[in-house]
Amino acid sequence: MIIAIDGPAASGKGTIAKYVAQVYGLHHLDTGLLYRAVGKAMLDAGHLLDDTARAIEAAIALDPKQFDENALKLQSVTEAASVVAAIPEVRQALMSYQRQFAMKTPGAVLDGRDIGTVIAPGADVKLFVVATPEVRAKRRVLELKARGEEADEKEVLADLLRRDERDSRRTAAPLKAAPDAHLLDTTHLGIDAAFRAAVAIIEAARTGRKRR
Ligand code: DC
């Protein structure tokens, strides 16, 4: 079984994806980490983010086994990830790893921006997770503070909006819901309610029932 979970930053998709993977005993891939790793490699090497050739080299050279998730989640890497993610050849270089991951037995949950549209268009269940920018900014502030980072809510909101805009407007695999994705709005849902809603959608899809 392949479950595709897409949505904008801090919508809750990552947390939901982890939980769903645990519930169904599936592998989980946070595909944002791949773009973050390319962005971080560019920053570490002192390359300009619009140096497409270097970004493609960095994407080709990635080794997901070496990822340090904490370092990749730092706010300083976030913007760089969004910039390099707009380069079509970078996306191309990361595609086969994601597609192979999706084919693992007994199945996989992948979360990102283009899983339901590009990486796994034939996924068994697709969720598109959304929440208002204000709620997402609040969540991101809590997450950053929990990691010991400084976070100003207004700045975080501005950053989220800028990233949403870039991720949605790019021509290569923009952030958008697949036509057959189930929309899950977590704006007014706590974490447990969001988990329950996600599992209810997946169960309904699995048993072939139509959900309105
Ligand atoms: O999910 P995240 O915030 O860790 O993602 C970081 C950036 O990577 C995000 O701004 C857009 C990009 N991304 C993407 O373009 N496609 C994906 N499947 C996952 C992330």
Side-chain angles (χ1 to χ4, degrees), residues 151-198:
D152 172 77
E153 201 169 312
K154 273 206 188 108
E155 272 175 32
V156 170
L157 176 59
D159 169 68
L160 278 182
L161 293 173
R162 198 171 53 243
R163 273 215 294 153
D164 282 359
E165 167 98 2
R166 191 188 292 119
D167 295 344
S168 310
R169 293 212 166 186
R170 69 182 179 219
T171 43
L175 163 67
K176 76 167 185 245
D180 52 347
H182 300 269
L183 191 72
L184 173 53
D185 187 342
T186 64
T187 303
H188 302 294
L189 300 182
I191 200 92
D192 286 336
F195 288 163
R196 281 197 300 275

Side-chain angles (χ1 to χ4, degrees), residues 72 80 88 130 137 193:
L72 293 177
V130 296

Side-chain angles (χ1 to χ4, degrees), residues 58-78:
I60 292 169
L62 274 199
D63 179 3
K65 285 190 214 80
Q66 308 288 328
F67 283 179
D68 172 355
E69 190 165 336
N70 282 326
L72 293 177
K73 289 283 183 179
L74 288 175
Q75 182 70 357
S76 53
V77 177
T78 303

